[in-house]
Amino acid sequence: MITRAALALILSSASPALAEDLQLAFPLDCTLGQDCHIQQYMDQDPSAAAHDYRCSGLTYDGHKGTDFALPDRAAMAAGVTVRAAAAGMVKGLRDGMTDGAPLSEVQGRECGNGVVIDLGRGWETQYCHLKRGSLRVTEGQEVAVGDALGLVGQSGKAAFPHLHLSLRHHGNPVDPFAPEGKGCEEEPAKSLWEDTPPYRPGGLIALGFADRIPSYDEIKAGDAHHDTLPEDAPALVIYGYSYGTQKNDVLRLSLAGPSGTVIERDVVLEKPQAQSFRAIGKRAAAGTWPAGRYRGTVTLLRDGRVIDEKTGALTVQ
């Protein structure tokens, strides 16, 4: 394992040329905070503990890249293009692995379907967990910035659809958010991104409505949310789907309709979770709901501060 001091020395010696000659473009056809999010950053802690480049816990021990996640499997099925973040030559690739296969079938192939691109001067990028059958490049092919490589998938060791992007210099992992390796106590003075994605210490993936408490698999599949419900729906439920939450975070859920507030509650989260959901609901007292427009809000709070918020509308007819 590379110590933090050794990594800092490697990065500091390379960073002047790096800052001038290498910058990464955003690697997906999606908009952060809307239809994708950064689920995990690179682990900056050389010990068994883990923290990202902002000293927060949006990573896990030994994570060597950045994970760009889709909201659900429905988004993966619709297709989100992975694009080359930097120009180079395709050094290696793999396709044909099943999306969502059990871990017992991916030992030694944790990256899943992927592409490695040689950028020259000892630099390379690796793109992991691509959708089976989606790769659009061949070994030895020269690619330009923005060229399509494939589609986001869930192949290899992947609990949800996402792209894992790694950057390496002579085999050593480099965090494009903090290439100088000065530690997480201060905000990095530079990054290797053309346009650095804003840092979010967790957030909301989705807000949704249903007529019962949905299962977690329905939410991850993208099958739980309803835009409309009938007047005789057995219940009205609002849920918030979140990522990167910490112990004692608060998920504030509220639903209001034509007759005023239907239900609202603050849910205190009991432990850190990479992804999770919470839902609240109410049964119809008179057997039916007033027809019309209902508005829901989900807010994620940490130490009393708003981390993220989403609103949505439901029609009862």
Side-chain angles (χ1 to χ4, degrees):
M1 178 180 291
I2 301 172
T3 65
R4 182 183 296 178
L7 183 58
L9 179 61
I10 292 169
L11 298 182
S12 61
S13 63
S15 60
L18 191 64
E20 293 177 4
D21 300 334
L22 178 62
Q23 287 192 309
L24 302 179
F26 191 72
L28 291 180
D29 281 355
C30 66
T31 302
L32 281 176
Q34 294 183 23
D35 49 7
C36 63
H37 64 278
I38 297 179
Q39 175 70 49
Q40 310 277 9
Y41 293 89
M42 182 172 156
D43 177 21
Q44 296 283 349
D45 193 323
S47 73
H51 63 246
D52 59 38
Y53 79 101
R54 297 296 295 272
C55 290
S56 191
L58 212 57
T59 186
Y60 59 85
D61 185 34
H63 191 234
K64 295 179 174 63
T66 306
D67 289 346
F68 298 87
L70 302 186
D72 47 47
R73 296 196 297 272
M76 180 184 79
V80 177
T81 301
V82 176
R83 297 191 179 276
M89 183 189 72
V90 176
K91 179 180 178 180
L93 53 81
R94 176 170 54 223
D95 200 350
M97 292 183 65
T98 301
D99 294 284
L103 293 180
S104 59
E105 296 181 8
V106 303
Q107 295 300 318
R109 300 180 297 165
E110 285 80 3
C111 177
N113 305 317
V115 181
V116 177
I117 297 179
D118 185 345
L119 311 181
R121 297 173 295 128
W123 292 93
E124 65 181 20
T125 47
Q126 183 173 16
Y127 305 76
C128 294
H129 312 308
L130 274 62
K131 191 175 182 180
R132 183 175 65 173
S134 75
L135 270 67
R136 303 179 188 177
V137 293
T138 57
E139 192 165 346
Q141 178 181 336
E142 295 285 343
V143 296
V145 176
D147 281 356
L149 304 179
L151 299 176
V152 177
Q154 195 180 335
S155 59
K157 189 178 181 180
F160 49 87
H162 70 284
L163 166 70
H164 172 98
L165 174 64
S166 291
L167 175 67
R168 295 186 287 266
H169 187 226
H170 294 304
N172 299 312
V174 176
D175 188 346
F177 288 91
E180 295 179 311
K182 292 182 178 179
C184 66
E185 291 76 16
E186 58 183 87
E187 188 170 351
K190 62 182 68 176
S191 83
L192 299 186
W193 295 100
E194 290 179 0
D195 187 9
T196 305
Y199 179 82
R200 285 183 174 271
L204 296 169
I205 301 171
L207 168 156
F209 305 101
D211 60 2
R212 58 180 174 80
I213 302 295
S215 71
Y216 195 16
D217 190 66
E218 287 174 322
I219 289 176
K220 292 189 291 184
D223 296 335
H225 170 70
H226 295 266
D227 290 316
T228 62
L229 287 172
E231 290 178 296
D232 61 352
L236 293 185
V237 171
I238 179 173
Y239 65 84
Y241 183 22
S242 59
Y243 72 95
T245 53
Q246 299 181 7
K247 182 179 180 180
N248 294 325
D249 281 358
V250 173
L251 203 63
R252 177 170 294 160
L253 303 106
S254 66
L255 178 63
S259 301
T261 299
V262 175
I263 189 171
E264 57 184 1
R265 188 177 304 161
D266 283 1
V267 181
V268 179
L269 305 182
E270 298 177 348
K271 60 181 180 180
Q273 289 186 281
Q275 292 186 352
S276 63
F277 87 97
R278 298 293 187 275
I280 61 173
K282 187 174 182 179
R283 296 187 181 279
T288 61
W289 298 99
R293 197 78 161 167
Y294 289 70
R295 187 168 183 83
T297 302
V298 178
T299 307
L300 177 64
L301 300 104
R302 181 170 299 160
D303 298 324
R305 182 171 61 91
V306 174
I307 296 296
D308 201 0
E309 186 172 80
K310 288 186 180 293
T311 59
L314 166 72
T315 299
V316 173
Q317 60 187 18

